Amino acid sequence: MKAFHLLLTIAPIALATPAWANDGSADAAQESATSQSAAAPDANKQVFSTGVAKGRDILDSAISTSSIRESQVQKLSARSLGEIFHNIAGVRSEISNGEVNNNVTVRGLPMASTGAKFLQIQEDGLPIVEFGDIITGSADMFMRADLNLAAIEAIRGGSASTFASNSPAGIINLMSKTGDVEGGSLMLSTGLDYEEYRADFDYGAKISDTLRFHVGGFYRQGEGPRSAGYDALKGGQIKFNITKEFTGGHIRLYAKLLDDRTPVYLPMPMSVTGTPSDLKFAPLPGFDANKDALLSRYITSQLGLDENNNTVTHDIRDGSRTKVKTIGLEAQFEVKDWSVTERFRYSKISGRYITPFPAIIAPGATVAALFGGPGATLRYAGGPNKGQLVPANANGNGLIAALGLADNTLKSFDNITNDIRVSRVWKLGDGELTTTAGFYKSRQTIATSSDYASALSDVVGGGKASLVDISTATGVPLSENGYYTYDGTFFGGYPRKGIDVDYDTNAAFGSLNFKTGPLAIGGSLRYDFGGAQGTVSSYALSGSVGSFPRDMNGNGVISIPESQVGFLPVTGLSPVDYTYHYLSYSVGVNYRVAEPFAVFARYSRGARANADRLLGSAAINPVSGALANKDALIDYVKQAEAGFKYRTSHFTLNGTAFMANTLEHNSYFGPTIDRKYKAYGLELESSYRTGIFSLTAGATYTHAEISNDRLDPTVIGNKPAGAPTLFGYLTPEISTDFFTVGANLYGITSRYSTDLEDYKMPGYVLVNPFVQVRPTERMTVSVNVNNLFNAKGITTLVVPTALAPTVGSVTALNGRTISASVRFNF
């Protein structure tokens, strides 16, 4: 922790990477970001466009913002979007699930579920999916960072709640290159101590004086950062856009094709000792949760039922499999004195989310007795030891995992979105009044079906785990091919659920911003209204677990495991049919005290409409589909913030004090949540450059607590699970024409694993050094190290039980990985 205290000491004097995008596109961002040798943007022309009415110098705007250039991303040793987000002040992301489906929140807002509930993640100004916390379908699953990326812009709080739906905490916008800077690059990368082979390319050019294009993408393959025993990473994407410029604006057409699979790392076994306030974590013999996973070359398929209850076998190696086909349009033009911006996108999205999840981890004899009675035996159901008895000290740890095999089919996450807005600047005396009005509309489909199986496996790393069969003392087989049941028995039955619902989101919005001399005052409103129509199928709605006999292997005999097979009802589905509306607003004032210094204050109320997490809960009437609890649908966030911004050509320092009150309703994993949170804190970000040395940093202090809970008053006053007091980053760097060397550090203090303030997960610091060498003007050779010192990085914890007093289940960061790349610019 000494390293983290050092980080926080330096942070206040050291990121606010300048924002330089023009209003409505990434063209200016690309001009600064495409070439690594490009000079830093003019410090007097820092324009920010995400989550605001119109691009304006950030020293004249009452908002908290950050930007990251593409050249910076190449240095961060980031293996996922979540790791890139570590370098945005105020943004907290948990990256232990792997590359995708990670949890993201802002400042002190709660992270009570997976995904990014209160935050909107966008690509080129439009949301990837309408709701950031869709079950097994969060936004980061459907986008990848590659050489197409020009910049990332982020706004925390402020006007984010009125310039995007379902975004009261903020917006993170990934902005694509558009060919404004001619040329391209080819980058070849490989893992040095893990298996990943990747090729990236991009190229942009002018076709004529008014027509340009950009194309780019990547393909990769390999086992990934943890042992799986097979190519868990496989796939890629390609993006293309073409832009026609004309007097007063432009029109751009773009497309994206993404087909990629990545492994999912859910809780893994780890040695857990010590006291609740001072836990000690260590690898198990034969299994290291930072480098291994319960994935195996011997466990590659899952037998189950599809949404129509037909027998089907799915490939566990798919992990998180994403398929996206996107077409879109962006246009900006002038109509007399009015500026019109139109954005449209249609995305056809599907995929799969399949992975093992350990329900119980205990010594083999304990598991055998628990599920097979006294004298029960365990034999390998597959792998090189198939048919042999499992030794008492198998793999050096003697552990057996009772796995829930979760198989989720993402049939359709199709999304169609349109945002149109008009703006005009009016001269009023010595000042100017900017007026903006617009309308937003989207239709988000969520069509999924879940399937579960319960199986037994040994606990061994290296991608060598095998399923295990169990028999009674008299030799009666209780499982077959490792399957104990074909439902969620190990999770208490866990009934299957099928969802097919369309969500309509509509919003009218507008703003007024008046600037005179050093003073700027503004306000904005957004009125959201929409609804949901569709069906939910689950036997749980009738109080049944939905498990029935079925001959799964087609041999004409119902075995003991086949007596419990999870079904979905195909008739009598429960309807979903409701509407909603809510109002968001934001008001702010900014005063430019001097050319390099400004102060601001803002108050906002935003909201988030809940989506699929409420389906099947008491919030929706299972007979009519109407809202049974209207209060559970809309979660409000009220925020007050005040801060300052200081900027010179070599030094920037931004600080924001904030307070937030959040209403949270949730229902899916674990108990239903109906509570309020409050938080306050301070956010700092800074950058400094002198000669060949530069330093960027950010730190966020937060005090958060549960202020009310209707269902469990015992947690009132407690700190929310996973909420740290401090987190932040630090990146020192030395750069010359020939080489760049530096390190990106990210640290977070200890957090409680539950809302009961009982077990505390220790803080950690990630140290990610990087080296770039440029032997020629157009060639860069890089070496990046992620998690140099193998920090444990525990983000969730299921504590040991009496079954195995020193073994818990954790989600943990990847251990050390080293990659190398060579990039050719042309």
Side-chain angles (χ1 to χ4, degrees):
M1 294 306 297
K2 291 182 179 179
F4 185 61
H5 292 316
L6 175 63
L7 182 156
L8 294 174
T9 301
I10 298 175
I13 62 169
L15 158 61
T17 301
W20 17 229
N22 64 354
D23 181 37
S25 77
D27 296 345
Q30 180 186 346
E31 184 174 1
S32 295
T34 300
S35 172
Q36 294 190 23
S37 61
D42 187 342
N44 296 317
K45 296 182 180 179
Q46 297 177 21
V47 178
F48 190 91
S49 62
T50 296
V52 296
K54 190 173 181 65
R56 177 177 291 172
D57 189 334
I58 60 174
L59 259 67
D60 291 322
S61 302
I63 52 176
S64 297
T65 65
S66 295
S67 300
I68 303 176
R69 296 190 297 270
E70 182 256 358
S71 59
Q72 291 174 288
V73 172
Q74 298 299 316
K75 303 172 186 175
L76 294 178
S77 306
R79 312 293 189 218
S80 65
L81 282 177
E83 290 183 319
I84 296 175
F85 296 165
H86 278 170
N87 294 272
I88 302 175
V91 174
R92 179 165 62 93
S93 62
E94 293 181 348
I95 56 173
S96 51
N97 282 356
E99 187 172 323
V100 300
N101 206 38
N102 288 303
N103 309 330
V104 188
T105 191
V106 173
R107 294 171 174 168
L109 271 67
M111 192 183 283
S113 59
T114 57
K117 175 170 182 175
F118 298 103
L119 178 72
Q120 191 69 271
I121 299 178
Q122 297 183 343
E123 188 171 27
D124 297 319
L126 291 176
I128 300 299
V129 288
E130 187 60 56
F131 307 101
D133 64 338
I134 300 173
I135 295 294
T136 63
S138 57
D140 66 344
M141 290 176 60
F142 310 116
M143 61 195 311
R144 301 288 187 269
D146 60 12
L147 295 181
N148 289 290
L149 181 66
I152 298 174
E153 287 190 347
I155 176 174
R156 283 92 61 191
S159 56
S161 59
T162 53
F163 283 93
S165 294
N166 300 306
S167 60
I171 300 169
I172 300 177
N173 183 21
L174 278 73
M175 307 168 74
S176 302
K177 298 175 183 177
T178 63
D180 189 58
V181 175
E182 293 194 76
S185 57
L186 170 67
M187 186 168 70
L188 304 176
S189 309
T190 184
L192 297 182
D193 61 347
Y194 70 102
E195 189 179 89
E196 179 180 0
Y197 307 100
R198 175 167 172 151
D200 289 71
F201 83 98
D202 82 299
Y203 183 73
K206 290 185 176 181
I207 301 173
S208 68
D209 289 343
T210 60
L211 188 66
R212 66 181 190 269
F213 76 95
H214 186 270
V215 62
F218 75 91
Y219 184 82
R220 60 165 174 192
Q221 188 167 338
E223 188 176 26
R226 303 194 195 187
S227 297
Y230 53 82
D231 286 344
L233 294 170
K234 190 174 183 179
Q237 78 171 356
I238 187 167
K239 296 175 67 174
F240 173 80
N241 61 67
I242 186 168
T243 303
K244 174 67 176 180
E245 293 181 322
F246 47 81
T247 302
H250 69 268
I251 185 169
R252 176 175 302 126
L253 300 175
Y254 61 88
K256 179 175 82 171
L257 178 64
L258 170 65
D259 188 346
D260 191 32
R261 77 182 194 192
T262 66
V264 179
Y265 305 133
L266 294 185
M268 302 294 164
M270 182 175 263
S271 170
V272 183
T273 57
T275 63
S277 61
D278 187 20
L279 294 172
K280 307 296 183 183
F281 296 86
L284 293 165
F287 191 91
D288 185 345
N290 294 103
K291 299 180 179 181
D292 292 315
L294 292 175
L295 304 173
S296 172
R297 69 195 68 178
Y298 307 124
I299 310 174
T300 59
S301 63
Q302 178 172 334
L303 180 63
L305 300 181
D306 65 12
E307 62 188 57
N308 297 312
N309 296 321
N310 297 315
T311 304
V312 64
T313 299
H314 286 149
D315 193 341
I316 294 177
R317 293 172 296 184
D318 276 345
S320 174
R321 176 75 180 273
T322 298
K323 297 181 180 181
V324 181
K325 298 176 182 178
T326 292
I327 57 172
L329 175 145
E330 177 185 303
Q332 185 174 317
F333 52 91
E334 304 290 332
V335 179
K336 293 186 177 180
D337 294 325
W338 293 88
S339 175
V340 181
T341 302
E342 157 69 10
R343 295 187 180 96
F344 167 84
R345 177 190 294 145
Y346 170 73
S347 292
K348 184 175 181 60
I349 302 173
S350 62
R352 182 165 309 286
Y353 191 90
I354 181 170
T355 192
F357 190 106
I360 296 173
I361 300 170
T366 302
V367 172
L370 182 65
F371 295 110
T377 59
L378 300 173
R379 292 181 181 272
Y380 289 107
N385 299 315
K386 183 176 181 179
Q388 298 180 24
L389 288 171
V390 178
N393 193 35
N395 307 308
N397 55 54
L399 296 173
I400 295 294
L403 300 176
L405 298 174
D407 181 3
N408 297 277
T409 299
L410 315 183
K411 182 180 178 181
S412 174
F413 277 16
D414 294 358
N415 176 276
I416 187 167
T417 309
N418 195 84
D419 183 293
I420 186 169
R421 60 188 65 184
V422 296
S423 297
R424 180 172 177 177
V425 179
W426 311 76
K427 292 293 184 180
L428 296 179
D430 294 332
E432 60 180 34
L433 176 68
T434 302
T435 59
T436 301
F439 192 83
Y440 172 85
K441 182 173 182 61
S442 82
R443 186 174 181 87
Q444 175 71 62
T445 297
I446 303 179
T448 66
S449 66
S450 61
D451 190 25
Y452 303 97
S454 296
L456 299 174
S457 167
D458 63 349
V459 175
V460 60
K464 299 176 182 179
S466 297
L467 293 181
V468 171
D469 278 330
I470 183 171
S471 300
T472 66
T474 59
V476 177
L478 300 178
S479 63
E480 59 182 4
N481 299 319
Y483 287 83
Y484 187 75
T485 64
Y486 292 90
D487 65 3
T489 292
F490 289 160
F491 287 96
Y494 221 81
R496 297 180 62 194
K497 179 185 285 188
I499 297 171
D500 191 352
V501 180
D502 289 320
Y503 292 87
D504 284 304
T505 301
N506 310 281
F509 58 92
S511 72
L512 296 173
N513 290 276
F514 179 71
K515 185 179 185 304
T516 177
L519 179 67
I521 302 174
S524 51
L525 291 170
R526 187 180 188 92
Y527 179 70
D528 278 86
F529 59 98
Q533 293 80 36
T535 59
V536 178
S537 57
S538 177
Y539 279 101
L541 295 172
S542 60
S544 168
V545 297
S547 295
F548 306 97
R550 174 69 176 264
D551 182 9
M552 297 295 292
N553 58 20
N555 67 357
V557 178
I558 301 294
S559 64
I560 292 177
E562 291 173 332
S563 65
Q564 288 184 243
V565 180
F567 277 70
L568 278 174
V570 293
T571 59
L573 307 185
S574 178
V576 177
D577 189 3
Y578 63 80
T579 59
Y580 68 88
H581 58 88
Y582 64 87
L583 180 69
S584 302
Y585 56 83
S586 182
V587 291
V589 57
N590 190 88
Y591 189 78
R592 194 153 180 171
V593 180
E595 174 60 28
F597 183 67
V599 294
F600 72 95
R602 179 175 287 274
Y603 181 82
S604 305
R605 187 187 82 159
R608 154 65 204 260
N610 287 309
D612 64 317
R613 291 182 181 270
L614 294 186
L615 299 180
S617 76
I620 299 176
N621 187 310
V623 177
S624 66
L627 291 173
N629 180 6
K630 294 183 179 181
D631 293 338
L633 183 66
I634 308 298
D635 287 343
Y636 289 95
V637 178
K638 298 178 181 179
Q639 298 180 82
E641 52 189 312
F644 66 89
K645 305 169 192 174
Y646 178 78
R647 179 186 70 207
T648 68
S649 59
H650 299 289
F651 177 66
T652 65
L653 176 62
N654 299 338
T656 305
F658 57 86
M659 293 190 299
N661 289 282
T662 306
L663 182 65
E664 164 81 359
H665 293 87
N666 226 304
S667 179
Y668 195 89
F669 295 113
T672 298
I673 294 174
D674 185 351
R675 64 170 57 144
K676 295 180 180 179
Y677 302 84
K678 64 181 180 181
Y680 63 83
L682 177 65
E683 173 187 283
L684 295 168
E685 58 176 358
S686 186
S687 66
Y688 174 72
R689 178 180 293 276
T690 178
I692 63 173
F693 176 76
S694 66
L695 185 67
T696 60
T700 304
Y701 164 81
T702 303
H703 174 85
E705 67 177 64
I706 300 169
S707 57
N708 191 30
D709 193 304
R710 293 185 178 182
L711 304 178
D712 184 8
T714 64
V715 301
I716 295 176
N718 287 357
K719 201 170 188 177
T725 300
L726 290 166
F727 63 94
Y729 61 93
L730 173 69
T731 307
E733 176 184 327
I734 294 174
S735 186
T736 70
D737 291 339
F738 178 66
F739 72 90
T740 299
V741 60
N744 176 239
L745 287 75
Y746 173 81
I748 188 169
T749 57
S750 60
R751 296 130 293 132
Y752 288 107
S753 63
T754 73
D755 298 323
L756 301 177
E757 290 192 348
D758 44 11
Y759 293 90
K760 185 175 287 187
M761 301 178 293
Y764 59 87
V765 175
L766 293 178
V767 179
N768 308 320
F770 55 85
V771 176
Q772 294 182 332
V773 178
R774 289 172 283 277
T776 67
E777 181 181 357
R778 297 183 177 275
M779 179 180 177
T780 302
V781 179
S782 304
V783 176
N784 299 69
V785 183
N786 187 285
N787 195 5
L788 174 64
F789 297 112
N790 273 319
K792 298 290 189 297
I794 308 301
T795 62
T796 65
L797 167 66
V798 179
V799 299
T801 67
L803 295 175
T806 62
V807 179
S809 294
V810 304
T811 49
L813 305 183
N814 292 334
R816 178 175 53 247
T817 54
I818 306 172
S819 63
S821 65
V822 57
R823 178 169 174 168
F824 303 93
N825 296 321
F826 51 86

